Amino acid sequence: MIFLTVGTQLSFDRLVRAVDQWAGKRQRSDLFGQICDPGDQGYHPTHFEWTRFLSPTEFEARFEAASCIVAHAGMGTIISSLSQMKPLLIMPRRADLKEQRNDHQLATAKQFGSKPGVFVAQNAQDVGAALDALVDASSQKMIPISPFADERLISTVRSEILKAGRK
């Protein structure tokens, strides 16, 4: 199963529409989405089952059952996917499209896009090809991430703490 999640605070019509179009073209029935509340004017998918909200228990069950994940570039989903070795497609929300207050998700997508098993779609036109690659990757063995921070981050934080202590 493919699990689409866009968080619980904001809808993400651009991603949901692109995934829905892909599901319709590929006649995929193994997709489920947690898409927030699209409202009356928002996009309501027609080619896959979806809900506005999942309880934490329901969310965890859907996540566990999924062979791959599609999401906005939110850190919680990225870390969960990598920790559970589930291939992931992310599309960053953009501030200029009023999907987010700032463009931090662009930086997140850039940072994680080079990781094995992580696919990035910068726009809706990229989603179909990225989903095809994601599905292909779901049968490949992923490398688990470390439960510890990268040594470069630890070194930088240590250095900053030591600098602050000398002031």
Side-chain angles (χ1 to χ4, degrees), residues 15-55:
L15 176 58
V16 173
R17 180 181 287 109
V19 170
D20 193 40
Q21 290 170 349
W22 176 85
K25 288 178 186 172
R26 300 292 189 278
Q27 298 182 344
R28 299 292 300 231
S29 60
D30 62 338
L31 201 148
F32 182 84
Q34 176 270 307
I35 67 166
C36 200
D37 185 357
D40 293 338
Q41 303 302 314
Y43 186 79
H44 295 79
T46 59
H47 298 291
F48 63 86
E49 185 182 350
W50 60 277
T51 188
R52 291 169 172 81
F53 177 79
L54 293 170
S55 72

Side-chain angles (χ1 to χ4, degrees), residues 3-167:
F3 181 44
L4 166 66
T5 178
V6 300
T8 58
Q9 296 179 358
L10 301 168
S11 61
F12 193 7
D13 288 352
R14 190 166 55 101
L15 176 58
V16 173
R17 180 181 287 109
V19 170
D20 193 40
Q21 290 170 349
W22 176 85
K25 288 178 186 172
R26 300 292 189 278
Q27 298 182 344
R28 299 292 300 231
S29 60
D30 62 338
L31 201 148
F32 182 84
Q34 176 270 307
I35 67 166
C36 200
D37 185 357
D40 293 338
Q41 303 302 314
Y43 186 79
H44 295 79
T46 59
H47 298 291
F48 63 86
E49 185 182 350
W50 60 277
T51 188
R52 291 169 172 81
F53 177 79
L54 293 170
S55 72
T57 303
E58 293 168 316
F59 184 91
E60 187 175 314
R62 293 282 184 176
F63 203 97
E64 286 286 329
S67 57
C68 48
I69 309 296
V70 178
H72 66 294
M75 285 305 302
T77 304
I78 292 170
I79 291 170
S80 294
S81 294
L82 294 175
S83 297
Q84 295 182 34
M85 296 187 299
K86 294 187 185 283
L88 169 69
L89 166 61
I90 54 177
M91 186 164 95
R93 295 176 185 268
R94 292 179 27 199
D96 65 324
L97 298 175
K98 300 192 183 346
E99 296 167 339
Q100 191 73 324
R101 289 176 292 281
N102 60 46
D103 282 329
H104 71 279
Q105 288 194 6
L106 293 172
T108 300
K110 182 177 180 183
Q111 181 66 33
F112 283 92
S114 62
K115 301 274 186 215
V118 179
F119 301 86
V120 176
Q122 290 295 339
N123 56 58
Q125 294 77 21
D126 297 342
V127 169
L131 274 164
D132 290 337
L134 177 72
V135 170
D136 289 344
S138 68
S139 63
Q140 299 171 7
K141 182 75 172 152
M142 284 184 61
I143 300 167
I145 62 168
S146 171
F148 304 104
D150 184 283
E151 186 55 43
R152 293 173 297 177
L153 174 63
I154 293 170
S155 178
T156 301
V157 170
R158 182 180 292 122
S159 175
E160 292 300 316
I161 291 171
L162 291 173
K163 282 182 199 174
R166 289 185 215 130
K167 292 182 180 179

